[in-house]
Amino acid sequence: MGKKLLIMVALALVLIIALPTVASARRMDDITHRIEGGMVYVPLRQAAEAYGWEVTWERRTGIVHLTNPSGVVESYPIDFFAEVLGGFIEEGVTWIPYEVALMMFDTRTMVFTLTEEARDIALYDFDYMIAFILENSPWDNVIYRALGIEFGDIVDFYRNAIESMEPLPITIFDEEMFAEQFPVHDGDTPRELAANYLFMLLNFFAMDLTGIGHMMPRLLDIYTAQYTAYVRGLYHEWHSEAAIEYAMLMHGVFEDPAAVWFYGEIEVDVYDTDSSFPRIPGNVETEILVPDEIALIRINSFMANSEYDDAYILPFLREVSDFDHLIIDIRGNFGGLMYYPLQLLFRRLINEPVYVNDYEFFADGETARSLMEAGIRLTLETEGVEYAEILPAGDFVAERGKVLFGEDALARLDHVMVSRVSVEPAIDAVGFEGRIWLLVDGFSASTSAMFTLIALETGFATVVGENTSRIMGSSHVYIVLPNTGIIWRTDIGYRTDAYGRSLEVYGIAPNQYNFEGMDALDTVLAIILG
């Protein structure tokens, strides 16, 4: 486990790095620097030794061993520094970007360990989680088809790590950011040891499944945001029995005593109606590309404060309402609330009612079935719903002639939730009569992928770019692991295109792929301007 896990640690935690401090930078002022293409590079060995690390290289295998001041060894193939970290090798010297060197070596290492009692606690919760996934999600099949990885092999790998009580070293690049994301306890009771170890391990388990659904433990800030939204929504908005039932099935685990123990008690001001999502300056970017003809709006995330962003969106849509073309760019947008694109964009830009058909396959797990049945009851209360029902998956596939729906996929799917909703233009619709273009790429995920699917199936926009991410905005559930209190999200819905091709395996294909040598925006402009 050691080598693979250490490489995963380095790759994973490079995502939670703050800018280096001035003091950190000064430690490398005296080592060799080299400027190439406007970037500053430093020799790997000199940079490491400046921070007290040791570097050894096995010429025969090409493996580089980095030993930090705590004695923890991290091993990487020599090509890792060029292919992954953006460096290069010249005349026997490995050069890496200056900023990457600071990220790698200005660190400390935390080592998570288990006692025998803590191991048994962690194993119980891990097995509980895996049993839940296999009962309620079809992802074992999706994982193999998309990644070529047997789900059972991954499970065995991580379970063996727990069972053998192998120490888990974590490289920390920014302690303040680490504390904001990971609810690590300071004590050394068996329960605390198990919770800390398992939480770290599950983050790497999720990394091995990157691009497959939303399977991951909740980080502290996400837990706080979702718990806050749940409590405020329950207090202010959800009045019907169906809505309350659905909310409790979906988010009730956030109030589970075990979860509160792990994540901590959170005070929620139920009278504060502001979004629980943050205000992100610059999240919305607008540009007039050709006066009176082509306008562009770029939205970087749908996980942002919609009221704050709408102060930029609505005035711009009104300003360009009589343009010939509106380009909506959601490349790199990992998703967020479905409310955001549907209310702030879709309903404002349509001129007449649009029918949105939705179907989502799911397995016959007790929790999955209960949530989907509650979802049907809630959907039927929604304005504009023509019908919503649950049908046998096999019958639905046969009747619709979904020729690319694989038998192996159908073997894991028992039901399909089907609905048809009439979506009306918003009261503040701008009456846009021109052509709408939607730009997507492989990082357009979750809500962004669902928005893409709706745009395609309703004809709302011409989609241009690359296949979207395989991560769809599917129905999902949260479970709380009974001993450690860790909350794990598992998608339970399975979506296909009109032919039965799994969107979780292939993503959503655009109407128009990028022209050779062009990105999505250049492709659209080439089409418009000739």
Side-chain angles (χ1 to χ4, degrees):
M1 173 179 172
K3 183 184 296 183
K4 179 182 178 185
L5 189 54
L6 286 169
I7 290 175
M8 289 194 301
V9 169
L11 290 175
L13 294 187
V14 79
L15 300 176
I16 50 172
I17 298 167
L19 292 175
T21 63
V22 174
S24 299
R26 286 174 180 166
R27 297 188 67 170
M28 288 202 295
D29 279 353
D30 296 331
I31 70 174
T32 305
H33 291 68
R34 177 171 172 174
I35 299 177
E36 296 284 343
M39 290 187 63
V40 179
Y41 294 86
V42 294
L44 170 67
R45 183 180 297 276
Q46 287 188 34
E49 291 175 350
Y51 285 92
W53 291 57
E54 295 182 5
V55 181
T56 58
W57 177 47
E58 294 181 9
R59 184 181 299 275
R60 181 178 61 82
T61 62
I63 299 298
V64 177
H65 302 289
L66 302 175
T67 306
N68 74 10
S70 302
V72 177
V73 180
E74 302 178 9
S75 301
Y76 308 95
I78 188 67
D79 292 343
F80 170 84
F81 300 98
E83 296 177 1
V84 177
L85 298 186
F88 59 91
I89 302 171
E90 185 176 280
E91 297 181 354
V93 178
T94 301
W95 298 82
I96 59 175
Y98 177 82
E99 291 81 2
V100 171
L102 290 175
M103 294 173 187
M104 289 189 69
F105 303 123
D106 185 19
T107 65
R108 76 181 183 90
T109 299
M110 295 177 65
V111 180
F112 294 86
T113 58
L114 293 170
T115 62
E116 289 187 6
E117 188 175 352
R119 173 198 62 193
D120 293 341
I121 292 171
L123 275 178
Y124 183 93
D125 277 12
F126 184 78
D127 289 343
Y128 179 92
M129 183 192 78
I130 297 302
F132 184 91
I133 293 172
L134 291 175
E135 179 186 357
N136 292 281
S137 298
W139 297 111
D140 52 335
N141 173 275
V142 171
I143 290 164
Y144 182 78
R145 293 169 64 201
L147 304 178
I149 299 173
E150 292 284 357
F151 184 60
D153 292 344
I154 298 176
V155 171
D156 290 344
F157 176 83
Y158 286 97
R159 194 182 193 284
N160 290 338
I162 301 171
E163 194 165 34
S164 64
M165 298 190 295
E166 185 165 351
L168 183 64
I170 306 294
T171 301
I172 307 300
F173 296 98
D174 186 285
E175 293 190 42
E176 183 177 349
M177 189 174 293
F178 179 81
E180 291 174 354
Q181 297 287 342
F182 297 90
V184 178
H185 290 245
D186 295 327
D188 57 2
T189 66
R191 188 185 188 193
E192 288 172 318
L193 290 174
N196 294 342
Y197 187 98
L198 185 58
F199 186 73
M200 292 301 164
L201 183 129
L202 290 182
N203 277 280
F204 299 123
F205 177 79
M207 279 186 59
D208 265 354
L209 305 177
T210 297
I212 302 295
H214 297 77
M215 292 199 292
M216 63 189 70
R218 298 291 84 179
L219 299 176
L220 184 57
D221 64 341
I222 298 178
Y223 170 87
T224 301
Q226 291 185 312
Y227 175 75
T228 300
Y230 161 67
V231 172
R232 287 179 181 166
L234 196 64
Y235 185 85
H236 288 291
E237 300 170 10
W238 293 331
H239 303 296
S240 71
E241 290 185 7
I244 292 174
E245 176 191 7
Y246 187 80
M248 294 302 294
L249 282 168
M250 178 74 82
H251 296 288
V253 297
F254 284 73
E255 293 187 299
D256 187 286
V260 173
W261 171 82
F262 182 66
Y263 292 95
E265 295 188 9
I266 298 171
E267 296 290 332
V268 178
D269 182 357
V270 297
Y271 297 102
D272 185 353
T273 58
D274 194 21
S275 168
S276 59
F277 288 106
R279 299 183 178 190
I280 306 176
N283 187 51
V284 176
E285 304 171 58
T286 60
E287 186 177 356
I288 304 297
L289 300 179
V290 178
D292 299 322
E293 292 185 24
I294 307 173
L296 169 70
I297 181 167
R298 179 180 295 107
I299 301 178
N300 298 308
S301 174
F302 294 139
M303 196 174 291
N305 189 301
S306 57
E307 292 183 3
Y308 176 80
D309 282 4
D310 203 29
Y312 300 91
I313 294 174
L314 183 55
F316 183 73
L317 294 183
R318 286 172 172 164
E319 178 186 355
V320 303
S321 62
D322 58 352
F323 276 40
D324 296 326
H325 301 274
L326 174 63
I327 303 170
I328 302 172
D329 189 350
I330 57 170
R331 290 174 294 174
N333 186 321
F334 289 113
L337 284 179
M338 199 67 208
Y339 170 88
Y340 191 128
L342 287 185
Q343 300 300 322
L344 275 57
L345 296 170
F346 188 81
R347 292 191 62 211
R348 282 178 175 157
L349 293 169
I350 59 176
N351 295 307
E352 56 186 15
V354 175
Y355 287 100
V356 175
N357 297 298
D358 186 38
Y359 52 89
E360 195 170 9
F361 295 87
F362 61 98
D364 197 38
E366 180 180 353
T367 302
R369 187 175 62 254
S370 296
L371 184 75
M372 290 300 200
E373 289 172 350
I376 285 288
R377 289 190 286 274
L378 180 59
T379 300
L380 289 170
E381 294 180 348
T382 304
E383 183 178 351
V385 173
E386 286 199 342
Y387 67 82
E389 58 185 336
I390 292 175
L391 303 170
D395 293 349
F396 182 82
V397 170
E399 290 171 3
R400 295 295 182 97
K402 293 183 176 296
V403 295
L404 297 181
F405 203 113
E407 289 298 322
D408 54 347
L410 195 57
R412 290 288 284 119
L413 300 163
D414 301 286
H415 312 287
V416 58
M417 183 173 71
V418 184
S419 65
R420 179 177 171 86
V421 182
S422 174
V423 180
E424 300 281 339
I427 295 175
D428 54 2
V430 301
F432 188 79
E433 297 287 352
R435 186 171 182 180
I436 300 172
W437 306 81
L438 185 66
L439 310 186
V440 300
D441 64 8
F443 298 100
S444 302
S446 192
T447 292
S448 293
M450 279 302 301
F451 183 42
T452 303
L453 185 62
I454 291 172
L456 276 171
E457 294 189 345
T458 62
F460 168 77
T462 301
V463 179
V464 179
E466 307 164 353
N467 281 35
T468 65
S469 165
R470 299 186 301 264
I471 301 175
M472 297 295 299
S474 299
S475 295
H476 57 276
V477 293
Y478 298 99
I479 59 169
V480 58
L481 304 189
N483 294 303
T484 59
I486 298 167
I487 289 180
W488 176 269
R489 170 172 168 163
T490 293
D491 289 2
I492 58 176
Y494 178 101
R495 296 179 184 275
T496 75
D497 63 15
Y499 306 100
R501 184 184 291 108
S502 170
L503 300 180
E504 277 80 13
V505 174
Y506 302 103
I508 301 168
N511 296 109
Q512 172 65 58
Y513 284 103
N514 295 336
F515 291 158
E516 185 175 355
M518 295 186 181
D519 66 9
L521 180 56
D522 289 338
T523 299
V524 169
L525 293 178
I527 294 172
I528 295 173
L529 302 174

